[in-house]
């Protein structure tokens, strides 16, 4: 029995040793972090958590606390421990790279995370694309500031690759926005206190900052605190990078409004372990593993918080399960030791094996369930990223606003760019140069008004547009404001009236923002005059009434214009809304009017009937307690609009009465444009070389072209009543005008519009702004091409073939004209009027079209046809010259002989002698 005790003790010791021993380690992975900030703490947690899914894997993590020498020592110590794989995030690339290369040269696979080295001696890389993050930040900044502003850049460590790549991506985008200025750039070394200290000093140097871009959320928090200390946090936007979850971290700061946005800088610990294990197990792996990023702003911060809370809850469950499993395994070891001690080795071993198997399969099942949930979460994360992209696209849609106003901008630019260019080459100002300077002056006024309207609209959207209330006589102000429209009313033959209550008793003093009231009246009258035809009427009515025992005013603007369809009326005050191409513009005029009215606590409504007219009605309180006292002459602060600027703003739609082109041998050019200054400018360029006639819209242009049949037409695309596309299509479909070359002017450079124009029959396109030299050269080429076409009919024959570059309608015209001449060749009374009546054209239209296509007048074509017929009869018959004269329609043998000799170079008698 005693001899059995040592054996039992030996067995017991073996059991104790086996129970206390740990599972074997198949792989040892070393992790060298350059720092121990929140982001890397999260990354380390993910690596350790993911390592639990790989039995036999142990992870050793070291943090260098931003010390290059310490990180080099950490890497050498990990190499000395015999690690199977090194995961490293280098602090300063140039200093740490030799230690990393040493590990690689020893055959240890190296996985770089977050930061790269300048060497190719690494096995794989896992991390976000910092250059892409910089570009996304640049695009977001440009959109957020709308292309204008001053920003401060708070960088990390200038020698680290995330810093340099993010800066490079940012600058690549911002170079396309010259009005966005980086006024200062500070290097805070990724630390929050240093960022706070440096930004605090910087705030004293820069009185105006629009946006602060920090390379991580910690530095953004420091900069924000400094701004709060200076009470300047509301005047600037703060943007960070990381988007970590937790109290006071990136996502939380966005949801609280401290940060305007942050960009997800994914940790990707699970992906790091996946790549590492694929390398160690000899499986396929990607060398470059770029993690996705996305924008987190106020729109999706709450969603990100909820998702992250769910992920953290699952992480907590995983840790709890692992903790419980560890406790269970510990108890299991203790029980096994006790069972070994009680010499129940076999039974205990079987029991423990069964429990171990069950525990193992439970863990596998749990791991599979967690993996499935993790996959679902990853899918949800991808959906969130897609949602973020969609939100970003929705933000980009606001840029459509600038596309809409580009038409308003490009017309003034056309009138500024080329005249200024011409004046810069002149040494003395003559009358023409004064004319060009006047155009520049008027259109600068228009541009300033448009820019101010845009700025007011953006201020209103941002909630920063304030009222400047004062008391003033509204009736007197209305008389002053509407006077600027009297000239336009006279030009368009529009009856324009203003009706206000009787002022004999007392002035009609109201409380309002006088400048904004003037803008309201200006916008409503501009629309009324723009869409009211000649001989129509525009009426402004002011009245007062009582509502809830308080005085209110009612202002109505009524016109007899085109009106609006019912389906458009309800949307007319929406931002960027446009009815159709005839109502093109910035799309914010009426939206801004509604905003101004609502700021006065008033309402605006519109009543419109298509084809009859429109009435805008504004009702608002006439008096407010918070206004300053009545000022004696407030209208002096509201200078009247200049007539030139008004005419431009309303697009100069007065009808143009073009003089009949002079018959002086010069070609005639028709200019069709609703902008008077454009017409005046093009006329000044062309009138020395061409006869110029004008039209103010497509409908009038079509009428002028039918009447005068010009040699070429220059036509704008965007016009009221009838746009340029429809005008061109109608011109090319009418017999009288189908042959006329049409040059289109457009403020848009889209290929789709050009294709549509060419489908309508346009012969050439010129985009605004254009130069005078380009315009005259293109125009001359179009006319010369028409002259070259005339050479095909140089012998007076109207025969056409497939090689003749003519439209079908023009070929049909020539064939019909030839048939008519042939049928009535013997009629001595055949006249141009008769030919025109048979074809359906007037005498002038027939003359111009025939001359333009063949180079000959109708009379000349008839005479040539008769002479050719006479020559044929002289050669093939024995008839006398007198008989042939009357047979081909000549009334005098002497005149026939003269014409014959002029055309063929010999008389009929000489031909007959030569014939014999």
């Amino acid at each position: 029995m005693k001899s059995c005790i040592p054996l039992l003790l030996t067995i017991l010791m073996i059991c104790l040793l086996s129970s206390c021993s740990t599972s074997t380690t198949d792989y040892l992975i070393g992790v060298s972090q350059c720092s121990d900030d929140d982001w890397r703490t999260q990354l380390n947690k993910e690596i350790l958590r993911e390592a639990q899914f790989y039995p036999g894997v142990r992870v050793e993590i070291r943090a260098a606390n931003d010390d290059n020498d310490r990180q080099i020592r950490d890497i050498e110590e990990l190499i000395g421990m015999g690690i199977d794989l090194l995961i490293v995030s280098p602090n300063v690339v140039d200093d740490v790279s030799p230690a990393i290369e040493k590990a690689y040269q020893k055959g240890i696979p190296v996985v770089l995370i977050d930061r790269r080295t300048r060497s190719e001696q690494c096995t794989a890389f896992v991390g976000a694309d910092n250059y892409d993050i910089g570009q996304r930040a640049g695009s977001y900044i440009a959109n957020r500031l709308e292309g204008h502003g001053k920003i401060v850049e708070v960088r990390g460590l200038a020698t680290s690759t995330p810093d340099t790549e993010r800066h490079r991506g940012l600058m690549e985008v911002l170079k396309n926005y010259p009005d966005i200025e980086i006024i200062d750039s500070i290097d805070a070394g990724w630390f929050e206190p240093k960022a706070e200290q440096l930004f605090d000093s910087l705030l004293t140097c820069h009185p105006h900052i629009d946006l602060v871009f920090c390379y991580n959320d910690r530095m953004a928090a420091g900069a924000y605190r400094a701004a709060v200390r200076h009470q300047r946090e509301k005047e600037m936007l703060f943007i960070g990078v990381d988007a970590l979850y937790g109290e006071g971290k990136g996502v939380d700061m966005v949801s609280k409004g401290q940060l305007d946005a942050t960009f997800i800088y994914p940790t990707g610990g699970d992906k790091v372990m996946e790549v590492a294990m694929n390398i160690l197990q000899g499986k396929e792996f990607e060398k470059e593993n770029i993690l996705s990023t996305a924008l987190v702003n106020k729109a999706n911060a709450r969603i990100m918080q909820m998702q992250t809370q769910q992920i953290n809850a699952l992480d907590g469950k995983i840790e709890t399960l692992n903790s419980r499993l560890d406790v269970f395994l510990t108890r299991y070891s203790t029980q096994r030791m006790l069972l070994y001690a009680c010499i129940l080795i076999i039974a205990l071993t079987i029991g423990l094996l069964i429990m171990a198997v069950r525990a193992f399969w439970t863990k596998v099942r749990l791991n599979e369930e967690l993996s499935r949930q993790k996959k679902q979460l990853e899918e949800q994360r991808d959906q969130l990223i897609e949602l973020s992209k969609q939100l970003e696209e929705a933000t980009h849609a606001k840029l459509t606003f600038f596309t809409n106003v580009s038409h308003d901008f490009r017309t003034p630019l056309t009138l500024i760019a080329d005249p200024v260019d011409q004046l810069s080459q002149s040494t003395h100002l003559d009358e023409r140069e004064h004319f060009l300077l006047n155009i520049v002056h008027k259109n600068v006024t228009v541009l300033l008004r448009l820019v101010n309207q845009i700025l007011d609209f953006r201020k209103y959207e941002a909630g920063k547009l304030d009222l400047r209330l004062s008391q003033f006589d509204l009736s007197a102000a209305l008389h002053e404001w509407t006077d600027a429209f009297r000239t336009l009313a006279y030009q368009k033959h529009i009856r324009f009236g203003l009706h206000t209550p009787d002022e004999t008793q007392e002035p009609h003093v109201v409380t309002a923002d006088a400048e904004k009231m003037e803008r309201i009246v200006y916008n409503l009258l501009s629309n009324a005059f723009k869409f009211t035809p000649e001989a129509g009427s525009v009426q402004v009515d002011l009245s007062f009434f009582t509502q809830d025992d308080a005085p209110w005013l009612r202002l109505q603007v009524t016109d007899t214009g085109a009106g609006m369809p019912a389906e458009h009326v309800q949307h007319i005050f929406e931002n960027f809304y446009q009815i159709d191409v005839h109502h093109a513009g910035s799309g914010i005029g009426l939206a801004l009017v509604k905003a101004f009215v609502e700021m006065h606590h008033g309402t605006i409504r519109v009543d419109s009937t298509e084809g009859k007219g429109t009435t805008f009605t504004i009702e608002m309180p006439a008096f407010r307690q918070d206004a300053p006292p009545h000022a004696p002459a407030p209208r002096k602060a509201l200078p009247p609009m200049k007539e030139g600027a008004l005419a431009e703003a309303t697009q100069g739609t007065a009808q143009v009465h073009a003089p009949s082109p002079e018959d002086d041998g010069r070609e005639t050019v028709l200019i069709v444009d609703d902008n008077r200054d454009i017409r005046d400018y093009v006329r000044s360029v062309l009138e020395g070389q061409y006869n110029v006639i004008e039209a103010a819209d497509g409908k009038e242009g079509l009428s002028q072209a039918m009447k005068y049949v010009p040699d070429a037409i220059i036509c704008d695309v965007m016009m009221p009543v009838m746009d340029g596309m429809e005008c061109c299509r109608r011109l090319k479909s009418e017999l009288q005008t189908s042959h006329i070359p049409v040059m289109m002017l457009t403020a848009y450079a889209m290929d789709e519009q050009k294709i549509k124009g060419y489908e309508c029959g346009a012969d050439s396109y010129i985009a605004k702004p254009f130069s005078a030299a380009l315009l005259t050269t293109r125009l001359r080429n179009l006319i010369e091409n028409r002259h070259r076409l005339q050479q095909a009919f140089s012998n007076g024959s109207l025969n056409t073939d497939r090689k003749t570059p003519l439209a079908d309608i023009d070929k049909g015209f020539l064939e019909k004209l030839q048939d008519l001449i042939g049928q009535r060749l013997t009629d001595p009374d055949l006249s141009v009027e008769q030919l025109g009546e048979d074809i359906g054209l007037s005498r002038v239209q027939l003359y111009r079209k025939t001359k333009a296509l063949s180079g000959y007048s109708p009379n000349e074509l008839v005479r040539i046809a008769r002479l050719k017929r006479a020559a044929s009869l002289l050669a093939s018959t024995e008839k006398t010259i007198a008989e042939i004269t009357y047979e081909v329609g000549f009334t005098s043998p002497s005149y026939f002989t003269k014409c014959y000799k002029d055309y063929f170079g010999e008389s009929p008698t000489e031909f007959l002698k030569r014939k014999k």
Side-chain angles (χ1 to χ4, degrees), residues 855-903:
Y856 294 97
S857 68
N859 279 328
E860 290 173 331
L861 290 175
V862 172
R863 184 166 61 250
I864 291 171
R866 285 172 170 167
L867 291 173
K868 288 184 176 181
R869 176 59 177 165
S872 175
L873 292 173
L874 286 172
S876 61
T877 67
E878 298 299 327
K879 293 181 180 180
T880 66
I881 294 175
E883 291 175 335
I884 293 175
T885 296
Y886 299 116
E887 185 172 341
V888 298
F890 282 96
T891 57
S892 169
S894 61
Y895 179 66
F896 165 71
T897 299
K898 178 181 180 303
C899 293
Y900 190 94
K901 186 171 184 178
D902 290 342
Y903 186 76

Side-chain angles (χ1 to χ4, degrees), residues 745-766:
L745 298 180
T746 178
Y748 295 114
M750 295 183 294
D751 290 339
E752 292 84 354
Q753 190 187 60
K754 289 186 177 181
I755 292 172
K756 184 177 179 181
Y758 286 128
E759 289 175 348
C760 291
D763 297 275
S764 181
Y765 253 99
I766 289 186

